[in-house]
Amino acid sequence: MQPITNTQLSSYADHYEADDNRRLATLALSKTALNDAAFCSSGASSMRQKFSVEVKTLEVTNQKSSGRCWLFAALNVLRERIAAEHHLEHFELSQSYLAFWDKFERCNYFLESILETASLPLTSRTVWHILNTGVHDGGQWDMFANIVRKYGIVPKDAFDETYQTSHTNQMNAQLNRALKVAAVNLRKLVSEGRSDAEIQDAKSSVLNKIYAFLCSCYGEPPKMFDFEFVDKDDLYHVEKGYTPLSFSERYVGDLLDHVVSIIHAPTSDKPYHKTFTVRLLGNVAEGRPVLHLNLPLSEMKAAIIAQLQAGKVVWFGSDVGHFGDRDLGIWDDGSFNFELLTGLDLAMNKEDALDYGLAAMNHAMVLTGVNLDENGQPTRWKIENSWGDEHGKKGYYVCSDSWFDQYVFQAAVEKEYLGDNAELTTQEPIVLEPWDPMGTLAD
């Protein structure tokens, strides 16, 4: 390694002293946050909440201090169908109900992954990935679909929030400690050559305690409930005797079987028009694998726009850690100039950002509108977030199309809006490693 020399330090100091822009930035940054100092009002002024295609939707939800955005966004898609059928102004499905079962199933998936890799050394990257990832709040569309298929859905009235469901850090910490203790024991049992029955009994004992702990945090999920609601005309209705699965059958039907996860991953290892899955990524052990159809950006947008034009909102995943202003409710690379402020070289294309770990999906929301120019090309997108109604326009956000190009990676679209690409969804998937960027979870 080459050390930094005194000659270099002297040269760097001289350059700083001679650079008026650096000295001006020093004044600005002494009492101003970087995002605020880099903000460009001229760019932000184009992020107005007006759209040529817009689906009218319900008031926003609030995931609070939890990483359940993927569940909130997915249930926000489903609730619009129920609200439209019954003319409801206010309605939510229970995010806690699905979070309970996702957490419980995820614990079993973790333990099964430990057993599957028990012959590998602890220094194996795969084992370390499993242990380091553990169980947390984040997820993907296909994981949501697996939970709904197995456990159904319920209205929020039937299974409401608790403190722990909305503040999950400490609960997750205890779960992951217990899972690591269990991992030590299970790997030991395998190394001792114990029978499958003994090993599964040990695993079941762990799951029994985890189930009880989750019930303490969430409450025990309902087995039966009545669906009560008041419509826009203030008329009361009740539909009695639902189970979570019968409620899902009534209001979701086979929709989830017709929704495909499409991605835009312009990296050399992921050719377009191919389907991918990620090894050891999932929640329900017997569930369907997470699948992604990789499409060029123009084809991804066309499918999303077609679904919006049909009056249906779209679940999508993006990286919200770049070029955003939470108070204004915008994501727009044209509203910030960090290169001018910092003097650093910061530009990176989407392919390199994925390959070098600069960007990957970390948050799921719902697209509810798009503004199209005179040539039918998108200029900005309307977003329903799940961070409450205190920011943006009562919790609704907007992103520029250029931000979409760079930081949107995934969307869940019904097959009928994929055109000829719908035929590609049945091909055998290419298997990616567990740490691939397309395996990151939205939280």
Side-chain angles (χ1 to χ4, degrees), residues 312-443:
K312 301 174 184 178
V313 298
V314 178
W315 184 101
F316 79 108
S318 62
D319 189 334
V320 297
H322 307 268
F323 302 104
D325 188 296
R326 188 164 183 162
D327 290 332
L328 293 176
I330 66 171
W331 283 287
D332 174 33
D333 48 312
S335 295
F336 301 86
N337 193 333
F338 289 105
E339 287 202 341
L340 178 61
L341 177 66
T342 64
L344 302 174
D345 297 325
L346 301 175
M348 183 178 282
N349 64 37
K350 196 171 187 176
E351 178 181 5
D352 290 339
L354 283 168
D355 283 341
Y356 285 81
L358 177 68
M361 184 185 73
N362 58 25
H363 188 54
M365 299 176 287
V366 178
L367 289 166
T368 67
V370 61
N371 190 64
L372 304 177
D373 64 17
E374 61 275 9
N375 297 314
Q377 297 302 306
T379 61
R380 56 183 178 269
W381 302 78
K382 184 180 180 182
I383 297 169
E384 178 185 357
N385 205 348
S386 56
W387 291 346
D389 60 4
E390 296 180 355
H391 305 287
K393 187 175 181 180
K394 293 185 178 180
Y396 281 85
Y397 290 61
V398 59
C399 77
S400 63
D401 191 57
S402 59
W403 187 90
F404 185 110
D405 290 349
Q406 185 73 8
Y407 299 110
V408 170
F409 297 100
Q410 182 182 4
V413 176
E414 295 178 38
K415 289 181 183 178
E416 65 178 290
Y417 304 110
L418 289 175
D420 293 339
N421 287 326
E423 300 175 0
L424 303 174
T425 59
T426 60
Q427 61 187 309
E428 189 69 21
I430 298 168
V431 181
L432 303 172
E433 294 294 347
W435 43 85
D436 190 272
M438 289 301 108
T440 58
L441 302 179
D443 60 9

Side-chain angles (χ1 to χ4, degrees), residues 13-241:
D14 289 343
H15 278 100
Y16 167 74
E17 291 294 336
D19 191 334
D20 289 340
N21 288 335
R22 289 297 91 234
R23 296 172 64 190
L24 182 60
T26 303
L27 296 177
L29 295 176
S30 62
K31 284 194 174 184
T32 308
L34 265 167
N35 273 24
D36 292 337
F39 184 72
C40 307
S41 58
S42 58
S45 64
S46 64
M47 292 295 99
R48 58 189 68 90
Q49 292 256 11
K50 293 181 175 62
F51 307 92
S52 59
V53 178
E54 185 173 4
V55 182
K56 296 300 181 184
T57 46
L58 300 174
E59 59 196 0
V60 298
T61 52
N62 193 342
Q63 68 189 80
K64 298 185 179 178
S65 297
S66 73
R68 298 173 293 162
C69 65
W70 60 293
L71 291 175
F72 272 73
L75 287 174
N76 286 344
V77 171
L78 296 188
R79 70 172 176 158
E80 295 296 337
R81 296 163 61 94
I82 303 172
E85 179 174 338
H86 290 301
H87 309 291
L88 305 180
E89 289 184 321
H90 309 284
F91 179 65
E92 284 188 55
L93 291 163
S94 174
Q95 302 90 2
S96 295
Y97 177 78
L98 291 188
F100 177 99
W101 290 118
D102 171 70
K103 197 76 70 179
F104 184 60
E105 287 282 349
R106 197 93 59 104
C107 289
N108 180 63
Y109 197 96
F110 173 91
L111 296 174
E112 283 295 314
S113 298
I114 289 295
L115 291 173
E116 184 179 323
T117 58
S119 63
L120 298 177
L122 281 173
T123 53
S124 160
R125 184 176 181 182
T126 299
V127 175
W128 180 246
H129 175 82
I130 295 167
L131 293 171
N132 192 48
T133 302
V135 169
H136 57 95
D137 293 347
Q140 293 202 6
W141 174 266
D142 284 329
M143 296 165 70
F144 162 77
N146 278 335
I147 292 293
V148 173
R149 288 189 185 103
K150 185 169 183 177
Y151 294 101
I153 57 174
V154 304
K156 194 163 189 173
D157 290 346
F159 198 63
D160 209 342
E161 298 284 305
T162 69
Y163 181 86
Q164 302 304 328
T165 65
S166 301
H167 304 80
T168 56
N169 280 347
Q170 293 182 23
M171 174 183 67
N172 288 343
Q174 297 306 312
L175 274 177
N176 280 297
R177 185 183 181 98
L179 289 172
K180 283 184 169 62
V181 171
V184 173
N185 185 45
L186 291 177
R187 285 178 61 93
K188 181 179 179 183
L189 292 177
V190 172
S191 69
E192 292 173 352
R194 300 294 186 91
S195 69
D196 289 343
E198 286 180 288
I199 292 170
Q200 285 299 320
D201 282 347
K203 190 194 80 170
S204 182
S205 177
V206 174
L207 290 175
N208 181 46
K209 293 176 181 178
I210 287 175
Y211 181 88
F213 173 61
L214 289 175
C215 286
S216 297
C217 293
Y218 289 81
E220 191 168 10
K223 297 177 176 61
M224 296 284 296
F225 63 92
D226 298 333
F227 179 31
E228 298 180 84
F229 57 92
V230 176
D231 64 23
K232 292 180 179 179
D233 297 322
D234 290 330
L235 295 176
Y236 169 83
H237 305 264
V238 59
E239 298 174 357
K240 291 182 174 293

Side-chain angles (χ1 to χ4, degrees), residues 244-318:
L245 281 171
S246 67
F247 187 76
S248 179
E249 183 179 356
R250 164 68 177 83
Y251 286 106
V252 180
D254 63 352
L255 171 66
L256 299 180
D257 295 332
H258 300 287
V259 176
V260 177
S261 168
I262 57 175
I263 60 172
H264 179 243
T267 52
S268 59
D269 63 330
K270 298 181 185 68
Y272 290 134
H273 303 117
K274 296 295 183 181
T275 299
F276 298 86
T277 189
V278 182
R279 188 165 64 91
L280 296 175
L281 176 65
N283 51 357
V284 179
E286 74 278 21
R288 301 181 191 183
V290 171
L291 295 175
H292 302 307
L293 173 61
N294 194 23
L295 295 178
L297 191 58
S298 61
E299 295 175 21
M300 180 189 206
K301 288 182 181 180
I304 293 171
I305 292 170
Q307 185 160 317
L308 290 172
Q309 288 174 326
K312 301 174 184 178
V313 298
V314 178
W315 184 101
F316 79 108
S318 62

